[in-house]
């Protein structure tokens, strides 16, 4: 394992600061700095970008992002025990790392960032999915970020890139692919993490499109896809009945058969239905 910076190896950082992983915070750390630099490279050329990193922990990915040339990293971390380790990284990269202690679901980081902005994170999966949906559904587009490079449980990653007709196709696929190009960039086995989780992981890279692929209101699209996929085995005329009394007419106007099921409907027709719901 070769060094990517002059800081101590992460195992030593963890021992020095007594950073035993806490299950309650979803802590599975990446300790191989070559791997974290590789993940940072998935995020693209960072030299002109500020990077928002959520959940830096002891700083493996943070160091990867800085070593790969990020103009600035703003790191949001909930666990105060990690702050001294992150302060050492800040000293090694003067003026390029700012750390905010807090819950990423509550902190608004935008005042601390200058565009262009990219996002990178290895987060607990529940927090990651909630943030992803928020990042994908602002009222205005393009969003504050140019790209998202996010570690997920492999099954969640597959749901983000899934195509119609597959089991993994659902709300996440529609919301992500509506406004982004999406791809799975890397897969990681449990042994890449300390402690190893039970599941396999994957890094997903999403690039914001300049405009969504089809016009639709994000809130309406969210509501439709939530209702349609929550009861994915039902016909759409049944699963969406609660959204409008004349749902069959609206489905037909959007070129969708009322007897179709959610997983058969592509993005274009979900967006057409979202527009029909507003008329
Ligand atoms: N990025 C580090 C790495 O790759 O080794 C740590 C990854 S660990 C899976 C998740 C990190 O997110 C932990 O450091 C944890 O404390 C932090 N975290 C968990 N929930 C958070 C939240 N709501 N806001 C900010 N950080 C959070």
């Amino acid at each position: 394992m070769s060094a990517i910076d002059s800081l101590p190896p992460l195992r030593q950082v963890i021992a020095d600061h007594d950073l035993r992983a806490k299950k309650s915070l979803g802590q599975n750390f990446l300790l191989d700095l070559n791997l974290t630099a590789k993940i940072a490279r998935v995020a693209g050329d960072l030299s002109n970008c500020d990077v928002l990193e959520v959940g830096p922990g002891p700083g493996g990915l943070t160091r990867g992002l800085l070593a790969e040339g990020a103009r600035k990293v703003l790191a949001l971390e909930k666990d105060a025990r990690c702050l001294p380790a992150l302060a050492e990284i800040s000293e090694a990269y003067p003026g390029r790392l700012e750390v905010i202690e807090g819950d990423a679901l509550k902190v608004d980081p935008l005042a601390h960032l200058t565009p262009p902005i990219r996002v990178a994170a290895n987060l607990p999966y529940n927090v990651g999915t909630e943030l992803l949906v928020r990042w994908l559904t602002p009222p205005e587009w393009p969003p504050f970020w140019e790209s998202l490079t996010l570690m997920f449980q492999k099954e969640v990653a597959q749901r983000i890139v899934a195509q119609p007709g597959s089991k993994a196709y659902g709300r996440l696929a529609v919301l992500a692919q509506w406004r982004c190009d999406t791809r799975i960039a890397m897969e990681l086995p449990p042994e890449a993490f300390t402690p190893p989780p039970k599941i396999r992981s994957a890094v997903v890279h999403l690039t914001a499109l300049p405009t969504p692929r089809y016009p639709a209101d994000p809130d309406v699209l969210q509501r439709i896809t939530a209702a349609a996929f929550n009861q994915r085995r039902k016909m759409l005329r049944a699963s969406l009945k609660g959204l409008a009394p004349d749902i069959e007419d609206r489905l037909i106007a959007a070129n969708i058969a009322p007897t179709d099921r959610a997983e058969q409907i592509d993005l274009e027709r979900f967006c057409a239905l979202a527009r029909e719901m507003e008329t």
Side-chain angles (χ1 to χ4, degrees):
M1 210 183 292
S2 58
I4 62 164
D5 54 34
S6 57
L7 290 156
L10 280 156
R11 275 189 203 285
Q12 191 184 325
V13 172
I14 285 176
D16 289 350
H17 297 283
D18 198 17
L19 292 178
R20 267 164 298 177
K22 277 193 187 168
K23 227 179 173 176
S24 60
L25 285 167
Q27 292 181 335
N28 303 96
F29 300 133
L30 289 168
L31 303 187
D32 178 347
L33 290 165
N34 290 311
L35 185 58
T36 62
K38 200 170 157 191
I39 296 169
R41 285 197 289 280
V42 171
D45 179 5
L46 301 176
S47 55
N48 286 318
C49 295
D50 280 9
V51 180
L52 171 62
E53 188 196 355
V54 192
L61 181 56
T62 321
R63 287 164 65 173
L65 293 164
L66 289 163
E68 286 301 313
R71 181 175 66 190
K72 171 185 171 173
V73 175
L74 174 69
L76 302 184
E77 175 55 61
K78 197 172 175 181
D79 185 355
R81 296 180 309 154
C82 299
L83 300 188
L86 296 167
E88 286 172 6
I89 305 174
S90 211
E91 268 170 44
Y93 290 93
R96 290 175 58 201
L97 172 62
E98 183 181 347
V99 180
I100 299 180
E101 181 196 343
D103 182 342
L105 295 167
K106 296 185 183 143
V107 174
D108 178 4
L110 283 190
H112 301 259
L113 292 162
T114 310
I117 299 163
R118 291 177 185 247
V119 177
N122 172 19
L123 270 173
Y125 300 113
N126 54 344
V127 182
T129 312
E130 182 163 350
L131 282 172
L132 172 63
V133 171
R134 282 193 204 178
W135 287 328
L136 291 172
T137 53
E140 304 297 330
W141 200 263
F144 75 87
W145 48 271
E146 286 191 343
S147 70
L148 308 173
T149 304
L150 307 173
M151 181 86 69
F152 282 109
Q153 189 171 337
K154 188 178 166 192
E155 283 69 27
V156 177
Q158 286 169 330
R159 278 163 41 200
I160 294 168
V161 304
Q163 294 301 305
S166 66
K167 272 204 172 130
Y169 183 64
R171 185 177 69 117
L172 277 186
V174 173
L175 294 179
Q177 296 171 37
W178 174 44
R179 287 173 148 180
C180 301
D181 281 330
T182 65
R183 69 186 169 93
I184 293 182
M186 283 169 72
E187 287 190 24
L188 287 90
E191 312 81 74
F193 301 85
T194 304
K198 289 202 175 67
I199 39 82
R200 291 183 68 82
S201 303
V203 176
V204 186
H205 185 67
L206 301 97
T207 312
L209 297 169
T211 50
R213 283 184 215 280
Y214 308 100
D217 178 275
D219 288 339
V220 179
L221 193 59
Q222 273 228 71
R223 273 205 303 280
I224 293 172
T225 48
F229 288 104
N230 276 349
Q231 298 179 293
R232 56 190 298 138
R233 281 156 174 262
K234 283 198 174 170
M235 294 177 190
L236 288 166
R237 68 178 175 207
S239 57
L240 299 182
K241 199 171 56 188
L243 296 184
D246 56 348
I247 192 65
E248 293 215 15
D249 295 343
R250 292 178 196 252
L251 285 164
I252 291 164
N255 203 19
I256 298 171
T259 50
D260 277 350
R261 290 172 172 79
E263 68 181 40
Q264 298 166 265
I265 307 304
D266 60 16
L267 180 58
E268 184 172 6
R269 286 186 295 157
F270 269 121
C271 291
L273 181 60
R275 295 194 301 275
E276 285 302 327
M277 297 303 274
E278 290 191 276
T279 56

